[in-house]
Amino acid sequence: MALPTGRTATEAVSPTPARIPLGFLVPIVLGTLLNALNSSMIAVALLSIQKAFDAGAEVIWLVSGLYLATAVAQPTMGRLADAFGARRIFCTGLVLVLVSAAAAPFAPTLGWLIAARVVLGIGTSAAYPAGMSMIRLWATAHPGDGATPTGGLGAISAASQAAVALGPPLGGVLVQFADWRAIFWVNVPLTLAAMVMALIWLPADDPARRGTVTLRELDLPGMALFTGELCGLMLFLLSLPDHPRWWALAAFVLLTAALIRRELRAHRPFVDLRMIAHNRPLAATYVRCMATYVVFYSITYALPQWLQQGRGLSESQSGLMMLPVAVLGIVTTMWATRLVDRGLRLVLIIGSGALCLGSGALALFGSGVPIWQVLAIAAVLGLPNGFNSLGNQTLMYRTAPAEQIGTASGLLRTSQYIGANLASALVGIAVGTQADDSGLHLLAAVITGISLVLLLNAVTTRHLRDAADHG
């Protein structure tokens, strides 16, 4: 067959793959890291906030409130991005972040501060599903020139991992040299920068996508049931082991049953159980993501508390001890980006295996352990972050229906923050109000068991190979 005029055989067979423009990618990356940054900065500020408001264990709702809001808002924002246009929803989320971050430092009570964190969680939920939708649209617009989104997915994953891991060091410095209010103020310049770049560089939405979404299509009853279900579960878990709230467990079971019945009958369900049930690789990805982040956030929250209370370090010192997690999270994401096209199974096996080693090493911690050993184990814990995050994110991208990528991306983040909620409850049970060695060892045993299950799944699951073959 004759080649088109002016093209060589090599060019016809192996076109140069198109790369996502930097100006397109930077605002998306900056927007997506806001959620991860705010989810982890609070870890080293909890004690200061607790003292400032003369609060008790209820301060943990600063963590859980943002996660609950994020778990609900992520798929909602994804659906809105699919319906109204991704850039429009992306910028709307940034406005909510800006308002809540500016208002939070003036909160008169802990309740108002928790409310500000909830709004912050809703605002930061828009960037990831909207960004994934824009990346999918970009890749669809370049079907003939070998366009690949791997670099974009890797950049988002690296930014999120870096933000989560850099949150404690940054938060520690801000709290040490300013006060807890600074962890909210830092959002203002980042949000303004992302907004300006989005308006300049991100392509305008297709006018045809300016549809209307009714309240029925948003499935407000489904959102309410999902929120109540998670609240019931958290209230029960946080009451363990001393005074179990059995009524909260009963509420969780009843609301879960009601949610399943509602979502199977809803025309546009909040949690698309049919899509998940008919797509087993996608469902497995959500479960794997949730379990991975139970381990990751357990480490993120427990280790700084243990360093402050068990070793007597300051907020800034305990935050800086988490720096190896951040650095290696970035490095390993770059490495995983190069490996992911060779096979998702390999990426997830490496990530799960390293997670087993790091989690098991926590059992060696004691109040007398040298600082260099703490840094070494923190470095080991940083190794799996990039592999697990990029592996799960890429698998979701490859297995989700193209027309529902925004919604599917939102549900991936929902599974992540369900894992984060479970992690905060697990830390509360194991560590309690005083982070001592025995609590840390109990936590290490639990998350090591979860990590071993993840490794076994990565080794034996067939759909990892199938997804890689069809990537």
Side-chain angles (χ1 to χ4, degrees):
M1 184 174 71
L3 296 172
T5 304
R7 297 188 63 181
T8 65
T10 302
E11 291 173 334
V13 175
S14 303
T16 302
R19 295 183 179 275
I20 298 178
L22 188 62
F24 180 93
L25 193 57
V26 168
I28 294 176
V29 169
L30 187 55
T32 55
L33 67 79
L34 288 171
N35 188 276
L37 187 65
N38 282 281
S39 72
S40 62
M41 274 196 303
I42 195 76
V44 294
L46 288 175
L47 293 178
S48 296
I49 295 174
Q50 193 173 34
K51 293 176 183 176
F53 290 98
D54 193 24
E58 65 270 18
V59 75
I60 196 63
W61 285 101
L62 287 169
V63 177
S64 298
L66 182 138
Y67 289 153
L68 286 169
T70 300
V72 174
Q74 287 276 2
T76 303
M77 290 297 187
R79 178 172 298 173
L80 293 174
D82 290 338
F84 290 101
R87 191 179 79 156
R88 190 173 294 110
I89 298 304
F90 184 90
C91 292
T92 300
L94 292 177
V95 171
L96 290 176
V97 175
L98 189 62
V99 171
S100 58
F106 302 103
T109 65
L110 181 63
W112 281 103
L113 188 62
I114 292 172
R117 285 273 294 178
V118 168
V119 176
L120 186 68
I122 295 171
T124 57
S125 296
Y128 180 75
M132 293 294 287
S133 181
M134 285 186 278
I135 289 174
R136 173 62 73 95
L137 289 172
W138 175 87
T140 303
H142 298 78
D145 49 10
T148 173
T150 301
L153 298 181
I156 291 174
S157 179
S160 296
Q161 290 301 314
V164 169
L166 282 172
L170 176 60
V173 171
L174 291 172
V175 173
Q176 184 77 16
F177 295 101
D179 63 16
W180 61 266
R181 295 171 179 82
I183 68 170
F184 293 97
W185 288 122
V186 74
N187 287 282
V188 174
L190 295 175
T191 303
L192 288 174
M195 176 75 76
V196 171
M197 288 187 286
L199 293 174
I200 294 174
W201 289 331
L202 292 181
D205 295 318
D206 184 352
R209 301 187 73 183
R210 292 191 181 187
T212 58
V213 175
T214 65
L215 292 179
R216 180 185 177 188
E217 289 175 316
L218 281 180
D219 189 19
L220 295 182
M223 291 184 193
L225 288 169
F226 183 77
T227 304
E229 174 196 40
L230 287 184
C231 286
L233 178 61
M234 289 298 298
L235 286 169
F236 173 71
L237 293 176
L238 290 173
S239 69
L240 298 175
D242 298 327
H243 305 287
R245 296 187 179 103
W246 296 110
W247 62 266
L249 179 60
F252 165 72
V253 173
L254 291 174
L255 289 172
T256 298
L259 177 67
I260 293 172
R261 182 179 181 183
R262 161 72 193 184
E263 299 306 85
L264 289 176
R265 295 183 175 186
H267 175 64
R268 291 291 303 273
F270 167 69
V271 180
D272 195 339
L273 296 178
R274 294 188 188 89
M275 178 186 73
I276 296 173
H278 295 154
N279 192 333
R280 294 182 64 183
L282 183 61
T285 301
Y286 290 150
V287 174
R288 186 182 302 105
C289 181
M290 179 182 66
T292 300
Y293 278 98
V294 169
V295 178
F296 179 79
Y297 279 107
S298 293
I299 296 165
T300 300
Y301 287 114
L303 194 51
Q305 288 186 48
W306 178 83
L307 289 168
Q308 291 178 53
Q309 297 180 336
R311 289 299 303 265
L313 300 184
S314 67
E315 289 92 343
S316 60
Q317 289 172 331
S318 63
L320 289 172
M321 293 294 290
M322 299 293 288
L323 197 57
V325 179
V327 173
L328 285 172
I330 298 170
V331 172
T332 56
T333 300
M334 296 177 182
W335 183 16
T337 301
R338 297 181 179 181
L339 290 179
V340 72
D341 288 328
R342 300 182 185 179
L344 283 172
R345 183 189 296 274
L346 175 62
V347 170
L348 289 171
I349 285 175
I350 294 173
S352 301
L355 204 61
C356 287
L357 292 176
S359 300
L362 282 179
L364 303 176
F365 272 18
S367 56
V369 67
I371 289 295
W372 70 266
Q373 290 186 17
V374 179
L375 287 170
I377 295 176
V380 173
L381 290 169
L383 287 173
N385 296 341
F387 289 96
N388 290 324
S389 176
L390 183 62
N392 288 324
Q393 183 175 263
T394 303
L395 188 57
M396 181 280 299
Y397 183 89
R398 292 179 178 178
T399 56
E403 68 280 4
Q404 293 179 287
I405 188 66
T407 303
S409 299
L411 287 172
L412 182 72
R413 283 299 177 95
T414 294
S415 67
Q416 172 181 335
Y417 287 111
I418 291 175
N421 269 302
L422 295 176
S424 66
L426 179 59
V427 170
I429 294 170
V431 175
T433 57
Q434 183 64 35
D436 56 17
D437 292 351
S438 61
L440 191 67
H441 295 162
L442 173 61
L443 183 69
V446 174
I447 62 177
T448 300
I450 296 172
S451 301
L452 286 170
V453 172
L454 286 169
L455 178 59
L456 181 64
N457 175 267
V459 171
T460 60
T461 303
R462 177 181 176 182
H463 72 254
L464 291 176
R465 182 177 65 250
D466 296 340
D469 292 341
H470 293 89

